[in-house]
Amino acid sequence: MAEMRDPKETGAHVNRVASYSIEIYERGQEKEGIDEKEIAGKRDVLRMAAMLHDVGKVAISDVILKKPAKLTEDEYSIMKQHTVLGAELFLNGHSEFDKAAMEVSLNHHERWDGKGYPGSRGCNDRLTLGGIF
Ligand SMILES: [Fe+2]
Ligand SMILES: [Fe+2]
């Protein structure tokens, strides 16, 4: 589905994002001294959530998603909404997967230096940063 919707969202990309996510998660948890059994319990949930990181792009127009040229500032602002729109898909779910998928969708373009998006300003009352991992 991801490949059909966005030519840049290949199966290889989706798998790469999932693998990086797992690697970062495992190293971080090990460093914190978290038990291997507990780490393993969330690993598959994170893998599936990471594979769906760009699911919010289903709500972005093809005109923007498949534009071969550089996006205008306004188009880029719309594109950035895929994080919030993806997170909202999982808002009413109660499973660990729903919470993980919401967190990953919302935060996957955040950066360590704070220059990513959507940032706290991009969130609304129902979406909050921080979470289960
Ligand atoms: Fe994305
Ligand atoms: Fe992506």
Side-chain angles (χ1 to χ4, degrees):
M1 182 204 77
E3 282 185 54
M4 284 192 298
R5 195 72 183 87
D6 179 356
K8 295 180 284 299
E9 197 70 16
T10 64
H13 166 72
V14 163
N15 286 320
R16 211 169 28 247
V17 169
S19 295
Y20 280 128
S21 301
I22 296 300
E23 198 65 30
I24 293 166
Y25 163 70
E26 288 181 340
R27 297 295 83 80
Q29 295 292 284
E30 286 167 7
K31 198 172 176 185
E32 294 292 318
I34 305 297
D35 180 58
E36 167 58 30
K37 202 172 175 181
E38 192 177 330
I39 295 172
K42 290 185 177 175
R43 184 183 296 127
D44 289 342
V45 169
L46 178 58
R47 183 184 310 279
M48 286 190 292
M51 291 178 82
L52 289 173
H53 67 277
D54 273 331
V55 69
K57 285 183 177 178
V58 298
I60 304 297
S61 164
D62 276 354
V63 173
I64 292 174
L65 207 56
K66 296 180 178 174
K67 183 177 178 180
K70 190 173 192 273
L71 299 180
T72 65
E73 205 168 301
D74 286 346
E75 290 167 337
Y76 186 51
S77 292
I78 293 169
M79 176 65 105
K80 290 196 285 190
Q81 284 299 306
H82 80 277
T83 53
V84 174
L85 295 167
E88 286 181 342
L89 290 173
F90 302 100
L91 199 57
N92 296 320
H94 299 288
S95 70
E96 191 173 47
F97 171 75
D98 290 316
K99 291 173 187 161
M102 186 179 95
E103 189 175 330
V104 169
S105 291
L106 185 63
N107 298 314
H108 74 275
H109 283 284
E110 292 294 352
R111 291 174 32 167
W112 295 112
D113 62 6
K115 293 180 178 173
Y117 64 86
S120 55
R121 290 186 317 268
C123 298
N124 54 40
D125 292 346
R126 297 173 305 153
L127 298 172
T128 55
L129 297 171
I132 70 168
F133 292 104

